[in-house]
Amino acid sequence: MSFYITTPIFYVNAQPHLGHAYSTIIADTVSRFQKIAGNEVRFQTGTDEHGDKIAEAAARANETPKEYVDRISLMFREAWPPLHIEPDNFIRTTDPNHIKTVQDILRQVHDRGDIYFSEYSGLYCKGCDRFLTEKELVDGNCPDHLTPPESISEQNYFFRMSKYQEWLIGHIEQNPDFIQPERYRNEVLSFLKEPLEDLCISRPTSRLTWGIPLPFDDKFVTYVWFDALINYLTGIDYPDGPDFARYWQGAEHLIAKDILKPHAIYWPTMLKSLGLEPYRKLHVHGYWNVNETKMSKSIGNVIRPADLINECGADSVRYFLLREMSFGLDSSFSYDALINRHNADLANDLGNLVSRSLTMVKNFCAGKVPDQGTMQDSDRELAEAAITMVAEYREQMEAFAFNRALREIWKVIGMANRYIVTNAPWELAKDPANRERLDTVLYTLLETLRLITLTLHPVMPATAIRMGAALGAVSPPNLDSQGRWGLLVPASSITPGETLFPRLKKKTPTPAPAGNPATDSPKKGAKAGRLEAEMPEGLIGFERFKEIDLRVGEITRAEAIKKSDRLLKLTVNAPEERTIVAGIAEFYQPEELVGKKVIIVANLKPTKLMGVTSQGMVLAARDGDNLVLTTVTGAAAAGSKVA
Ligand code: MSP
């Protein structure tokens, strides 16, 4: 199957920021995913360089429009490789072949009678570069730019968009996947309930010269959206190039909700007028906000890709953005959240799994893949989970549910870390009689790691390449041929590399107590390195110690608490079931906690945290920035008293 994924082409009136990076990282991830899924892929991004906004930005910068667009377009082009983004084509609307394609298309649509000349008065928003309807205004302002539109009356050329309204409604209704997620499809359908106006597609040169001249009237230039949308065709050499024949049927556009209307309404009707099939799908994502507001230069909360990379490296940024946002919904960005994810998911969960596993193979198997031997239930359980993960991951990635796909991978990472603890290879290594068992355990771990590596390629390409090299995995990655169990060849070499993800310090450190953080404010003199259940300074008598009811608690459920980065809601058997809210979300994934036996303070007064009543406290040791739960290994039953 062919797959042609595109990002919006970005206006060059601003420098690349987190929002642009997000769309482009998704497109790159999709492109890499479709490649490892065996499809023929083309990925295009680029810059949108004509129109009022750009001409004004150039004037403000004291440059000619051409000098200005060359400079900013280069900034976009250069922003992507450091984020490991590798487009097949970077298009600019000032490219001569694009100008020619736009003029050819205008001529065709004009010849068909779908363009006419007329007088128009309307409310024009410069920020949007389009006329707004009265209905769209909020308190007289453009809802996106919060500025009043200008009242403009002029003669212009119009595209008969209204002619295709019924066809478009029918197409969207017959193709439920055409616009995704569904909320945006519904939004478009509800907009189409009102009669569609024709689209003004020209600007008189008396007002704007920075645009593509209309081929049939040189007193006008082309409206920037009619020019820009055509980039998706120019980039694959419409109408005669082999790439057009190969890729147009697989065209999937990726945008944020701000430009839904041009993509869901203008563009399909333009294509229809040209006699072309519409694109295959439109994927619409939400906004990244910073401190609950949209990023904007005037507020001064713009996040630059280079700053993110400096903070934690490109792969970690990619992981964070895809893990944190539910595709289609808005998300809030914070450096703290970025660093938490880096430390918890990457340095702790993934990084530790890789380094522990590879080091054990180095130490116990002379750095060679051991034989698989005879698998026991616990080995089979991990192997089956890893195979299931590949299938579920694939389904979620195909549906653009990147956060869920990553969750599937991390479930198995959590399981593999628990598998190490349960099987304790270092204990097995003490007795040569356990050789075969030790080999099986380490082989199972290595194979699990290989499958994890395979699925990580699209989101974290550099990390996956390093992991693949350490494991001696076959390259290039391919889900069909390599998504099976048992492909690592015994006796081949394993080469542990450098630490994958060094732990990072938070910019604004916040304490992360494990127990009831709201009520159990640290008592005077509490020190770092302490058990998190607070002890008064100095010595205490045994009687006083006896007042604290410490018990073994088995975690049977763990879940995130909405709106809290720090808290997890745990269901603990000790032996009766109780709920404990613990400030450990930065350090543990809910799924890896289930089954753990921890030590709890069982006789604390209940307290409410983020609306959840917590009946106790979990003990944990703080080591610098890290927090480790005090767990009980061995056969102590849930509820056993800790003395
Ligand atoms: N030039 C037009 C697109 C023409 S496509 C034929 C344009 N350019 S833009 O520079 O304003 O880019 C808008 C796009 O940038 C959004 O649709 C989205 O992909 C990305 N984002 C910009 N800000 C964003 C956020 N705050 N959050 C997420 N994505 C955002 O519109």
Side-chain angles (χ1 to χ4, degrees), residues 318-324 393 396-397 401-411 413 455-456 459-460 591:
R318 292 170 66 110
Y319 172 77
F320 172 82
L321 295 178
L322 294 195
R323 177 69 183 78
E324 201 77 2
Y393 155 88
Q396 303 292 4
M397 290 293 282
F402 310 105
N403 59 338
R404 293 211 193 115
L406 288 169
R407 229 166 28 211
E408 293 299 328
I409 305 176
W410 257 257
K411 252 196 246 167
I413 292 174
T455 55
L456 284 178
V459 178
M460 296 202 284
E591 53 269 19

Side-chain angles (χ1 to χ4, degrees), residues 7-14 17-24 47-49 53 76 224-225 227-232 254-260 262-263 285-289 293-295 325 331:
T7 71
I9 48 170
F10 303 112
Y11 286 131
V12 288
N13 64 341
H17 61 55
L18 166 70
H20 306 126
Y22 176 66
S23 305
T24 317
T47 43
D48 189 352
E49 306 185 7
K53 276 205 274 206
F76 276 90
V224 65
W225 272 105
D227 157 358
L229 288 160
I230 290 172
N231 90 84
Y232 302 130
L254 174 69
I255 59 167
K257 58 187 180 181
D258 53 341
I259 50 177
L260 178 61
H263 280 82
H285 65 75
Y287 289 147
W288 278 99
N289 296 324
T293 36
K294 205 182 164 203
M295 254 185 304
M325 191 180 246
S331 250

Side-chain angles (χ1 to χ4, degrees), residues 511-516 520-537 540 545 548-551 583-584 588 598-601 604 617-624 626-632 642-643:
N516 290 349
D520 303 345
S521 57
K523 293 185 178 113
K524 257 193 254 157
K527 291 189 186 77
R530 68 198 186 257
L531 277 181
E532 286 290 320
E534 303 299 340
M535 295 292 182
E537 210 173 24
I540 57 163
F545 170 71
I548 305 172
D549 183 7
L550 294 177
R551 284 170 193 259
I584 55 173
Y588 290 90
V598 291
I599 299 178
I600 68 163
V601 182
L604 269 184
M617 184 187 219
V618 178
L619 296 192
R622 181 179 279 290
D623 174 14
N626 202 5
L627 189 101
V628 183
L629 286 173
T630 50
T631 49
V632 179
V642 177

Side-chain angles (χ1 to χ4, degrees), residues 553-558 570-573 577-578 593-596 638:
E554 183 171 359
I555 303 176
T556 55
R557 261 182 81 147
L570 310 176
T571 307
V572 178
N573 276 349
E577 190 167 273
R578 63 172 74 207
L593 291 169
V594 175
K596 269 198 173 30

Side-chain angles (χ1 to χ4, degrees), residues 252-271:
E252 300 203 7
H253 302 311
L254 174 69
I255 59 167
K257 58 187 180 181
D258 53 341
I259 50 177
L260 178 61
K261 204 168 148 190
H263 280 82
I265 296 177
Y266 305 175
W267 184 221
T269 53
M270 286 165 66
L271 290 163

